[in-house]
Structure formats: C-alpha cells, structure tokens
Amino acid sequence: MLVLLPPSEGKAASGRGAPLKPEALSLPGLAGARAAVLDGLVELCAADEEKARVVLGLSEGLRGEIAKNVELRTAGARPAGELYTGVLYDALDLASLDAAARRRAGKSLLVFSGLWGAVRVGDRIPPYRCAMGVKLPGLGALGAFWRAPMAEVMPEAAGDGLVLDLRSSAYTAAWKPKGEVAERTASVRVLHSQRVDGVEKRSVVSHFNKATKGRMVRDLLRAGARPKGPAELVTALRDLGYVVEAAAPARPGRTWELDVVVTEIH
C-alpha cells in the first residue's frame, strides 16, 4: 500500500543535526527537478525579499520564513514525519506508533511537496516555505512543473498494490494516476452527517477532514492492514469502525472514490 499525503503549512520551527543531503532523499529520479526548484527558490528569496513574499503568498507576519528559505542548503534537517506539524500529522502522531507501525509508515507514506516533489516520512529535510500552488520565476506553476518528473517515477513507486490518495487538490495537480494504476487507486472524501429537522444533511469538512484522514492512516498502520486494492481497503476501514461508502468506477482507467462519513467532528 502506498499512501499519498499532502504536506502541511505548519512545520517544526527548525531542523536538527546535519543539513540536507539531496542525494539521500527517496525517489532519486526527482533529483534534477528538486535541484532546479531549490536553486530557483533560494535565488528568489536571496535577491528580493518583498518579491519573494508576494510570489510565495506569505503574509507580512510570515516574512521571516523567507530568510529560512535562503539557508535551505545549510540549515539543520529532520525527518519529514517530524517536520510537518499540521492537523493531519498531529492526528497521525507517528512518534507514538509502535516500532512495527513506524516501519510500515516509513515504507508506505509519501508526502507531496512543492519544493521536493515527494518524500518519504524518513527523509531528512529542512523547514521551508514553498507550496505547490506557487509560480516560481523561471519554472512557472510548480504543479505543472512536477508533472513530467512525477510521471517518470510514480508508477514505479506505486508498485503493483493499492494507492491511497489523501492529497488536497493543489497536490493532485503534480501527479494523477493513469491506466491500471488509477484502477487500484482510491481517493477519500470525508463527509459530516447530521440530522436537521429529521432530515440527514451532509457537508464536506476541512479542518476535520484532515484530522479524520490522519486518524484513518494511523489506524491502518496500527492494524497492519495490507489491502491489495480499493475494495479490500473499504473492507479494512469498515473493520476498523469507519462508515465508508464506495462504488467501483464506471469506466476502466478511473480511480475509486470513497466517502468516509462521520457524525462527530473533532
């Protein structure tokens, strides 16, 4: 099982220990593209702070993040699973998993990134600011920039098993499964169900969508679940107590879409 995750804007304030070693990152086929984005980002942030702030979409209060980008090559790094601290990662809580579940996480979780393309949770990277929606001078929109290199490496990374796609829309732009890989890919939407005047109403949630996805991945890792495809994933999630609605795609080459329905949001 390969689980595709979005990164988080929230990150640990600093890295620790040795700086970035690009050659040590997973998916070495992305090395050239990573170098191009890193060079472009550092150059932008070193040359014109105000322009960098606008390009990166940072508020005035986050201006200090630009200086961090300038030091990306020398700043201390930490495992990606420790670096990201947003809602999904808080709910996933990798640090509290037992050793076996952490090993499974290291093999199965892949975090998409505007700067790195995609990394595994054990890959050591420094804190940075560069979302997939950024249009970097000289490279353009990063979602489009990453499509070609991702198309080269992701089919091999996906292997022949289930792909569980939990990315947000900005990050799906970098790679969309095609052909037989798509047919064993499941994307998940979280819906909040509540009764209003005796009538069920459902709504898409945002903050709690991330938290639910984090808990869901955590539960799969703890259970040692190994679903071979989307249908088996539905069964595994239901066995873990989730309410899941799913239907097989109407046409070949399409992904499965799963709705996880919750009645409480927390």
Side-chain angles (χ1 to χ4, degrees):
M1 177 173 65
L2 181 68
V3 183
L4 310 182
L5 299 176
S8 66
E9 290 298 325
K11 299 178 181 70
S14 62
R16 61 184 189 188
L20 171 72
K21 293 182 179 179
E23 70 279 4
L25 297 179
S26 301
L27 306 183
L30 299 179
R34 286 170 176 152
V37 179
L38 179 60
D39 288 347
L41 180 62
V42 171
E43 181 179 344
L44 168 70
C45 293
D48 189 329
E49 185 178 281
E50 180 58 23
K51 180 180 179 181
R53 187 184 71 80
V54 174
V55 168
L56 297 176
L58 301 178
S59 66
E60 188 64 39
L62 292 174
R63 184 180 287 272
E65 298 295 300
I66 298 168
K68 292 183 181 179
N69 281 350
V70 175
E71 304 297 329
L72 281 170
R73 294 189 181 92
T74 56
R78 66 169 67 205
E82 296 179 11
L83 182 74
Y84 297 114
T85 60
V87 174
L88 187 154
Y89 293 89
D90 286 346
L92 177 55
D93 196 9
L94 288 170
S96 68
L97 291 173
D98 62 38
R102 287 199 300 272
R103 284 194 296 271
R104 289 190 283 270
K107 294 178 180 178
S108 63
L109 305 188
L110 197 64
V111 184
F112 273 60
S113 162
L115 175 53
W116 312 113
V119 293
R120 297 198 183 274
V121 291
D123 287 340
R124 295 178 59 84
I125 54 176
Y128 68 95
R129 280 281 178 164
C130 187
M132 190 66 81
V134 165
K135 294 182 178 180
L136 205 58
L139 297 180
L142 292 178
F145 170 82
W146 281 110
R147 284 176 197 155
M150 284 292 185
E152 291 292 323
V153 305
M154 284 304 299
E156 181 179 354
D160 59 2
L162 168 71
V163 178
L164 174 54
D165 192 350
L166 302 180
R167 297 172 297 165
S168 53
S169 58
Y171 291 88
T172 60
W175 181 67
K176 294 183 179 179
K178 298 182 183 299
E180 63 89 19
V181 178
E183 293 174 6
R184 49 187 167 84
T185 297
S187 60
V188 173
R189 179 175 64 166
V190 179
L191 298 178
H192 179 216
S193 172
Q194 55 185 330
R195 290 203 165 271
V196 179
D197 297 328
V199 178
E200 183 193 28
K201 292 189 176 182
R202 291 182 175 184
S203 58
V204 178
V205 292
S206 177
H207 174 94
F208 302 104
N209 163 62
K210 297 175 183 178
T212 299
K213 288 179 177 178
R215 286 192 292 269
M216 184 174 67
V217 174
R218 178 181 174 82
D219 288 343
L220 288 168
L221 292 171
R222 291 181 64 194
R226 295 183 178 180
K228 295 180 179 179
E232 291 84 355
L233 172 65
V234 172
T235 299
L237 289 174
R238 287 173 176 166
D239 288 345
L240 289 168
Y242 290 88
V243 177
V244 183
E245 297 176 356
R251 290 185 291 177
R254 298 294 183 91
T255 63
W256 286 56
E257 295 183 358
L258 277 53
D259 285 341
V260 173
V261 183
V262 299
T263 55
E264 297 180 1
I265 51 179
H266 57 87

